[in-house]
Amino acid sequence: MSPEPVVSVWSRWRLHADAVTSVLVAGGLDARTVDEGGDVDGLLVAGVLLPDLPDLLEHRRAKGRPTVVWGGVLPSPRVAAVRAAGAAAYVSMLRPPHEVVDVVRRVLAGQVVPWPAPPEAMTRLTPTEQHVARAYLVEWSDHPRADVARRLGISERTLKAHVANIRAKAGHRGTETREGLHRALVVSGWL
C-alpha cells in the first residue's frame, strides 16, 4: 500500500495553518504547513483570507491540483464564488475538527464533497437600506449621522431606524461601530 499523499496547509496567518496541520496530523493524515501554496503538488488546504484566493484556486484547478478552502463563515455568494473559482470543498471555521479531516480524506479519495446548502430565505437589504448603507458607511462615512441624514433628505431618526434594521440583518455582533458594520456588510457581500 502506497503512503497517503502529503497535504499542504497554507494560511495568511501561520498560527491558523499550524492549527489546521495539527488537526490533520492528529486525524492520521500526512500534513505540513507551507509558506506558499500555488505550486505545491497534491492537496492544498488554503485559508479563506489568502490574498488573491480566486486566482490561486483557478491556477491550481488548471493544473489538476485540488484545493480545500478552510476558515471564515462565508455567506452563500462567497461560497459560490469559491466553488466557481475551483475549490474542491469549503469548510467553515465553525465546523468541528473531525469534519475538516473527513473533508480532506474525501477529497484525497477523489470523492465529491457536498457544498453547504444556501439558507432557504437569505436575508437581504432592501434597495433603500442598500442606499442608506452606502451613504452612511462609504460615501459620507466621515460625516456625523445628522449630516448624512440631511444629505439623504431624511430625518436623523429615520436614518437611525434604517441603520438599526441593517445592523439586525447583519447580526449585531461586531457592528456597534460604523467600521464594524461596514466590515460585516462587506463580508456578507452586501456592500
Side-chain angles (χ1 to χ4, degrees):
M1 182 175 194
S2 62
E4 203 160 15
V6 172
V7 177
S8 300
V9 182
W10 183 32
S11 176
R12 184 173 178 184
W13 293 285
R14 180 68 184 231
L15 185 60
H16 290 172
D18 289 343
V20 172
T21 299
S22 295
V23 164
L24 296 174
V25 169
L29 295 166
D30 183 9
R32 64 188 164 119
T33 301
V34 295
D35 294 324
E36 288 287 327
D39 291 322
V40 298
D41 290 326
L43 177 65
L44 174 68
V45 177
V48 73
L49 295 177
L50 284 170
D52 302 323
L53 180 63
D55 293 338
L56 169 77
L57 293 170
E58 289 172 8
H59 171 77
R60 290 188 54 80
R61 177 177 53 189
K63 295 195 175 256
R65 297 176 179 157
T67 308
V68 172
V69 175
W70 174 86
V73 182
L74 299 182
S76 297
R78 296 268 319 269
V79 172
V82 165
R83 184 178 191 177
Y90 163 68
V91 183
S92 165
M93 67 183 250
L94 298 179
R95 305 310 310 160
H98 70 86
E99 286 188 28
V100 177
V101 174
D102 180 57
V103 166
V104 169
R105 283 189 185 285
R106 292 174 73 184
V107 171
L108 283 171
Q111 298 174 0
V112 176
V113 178
W115 284 78
E120 292 194 20
M122 189 171 152
T123 306
R124 298 204 182 271
L125 299 181
T126 66
T128 301
E129 289 167 342
Q130 289 173 347
H131 179 68
V132 168
R134 181 153 300 285
Y136 183 67
L137 301 170
V138 178
E139 295 168 7
W140 302 309
S141 63
D142 57 342
H143 292 263
R145 188 174 44 228
D147 189 36
V148 174
R150 184 184 53 75
R151 289 171 181 252
L152 287 171
I154 59 177
S155 71
E156 186 175 359
R157 183 176 178 179
T158 300
L159 176 63
K160 287 170 74 172
H162 283 307
V163 171
N165 290 338
I166 294 165
R167 277 196 173 102
K169 288 181 178 182
H172 287 283
R173 186 175 174 189
T175 63
E176 301 84 19
T177 64
R178 275 186 174 176
E179 182 180 296
L181 182 57
H182 181 268
R183 185 173 32 253
L185 295 183
V186 168
V187 166
S188 297
W190 294 347
L191 192 62

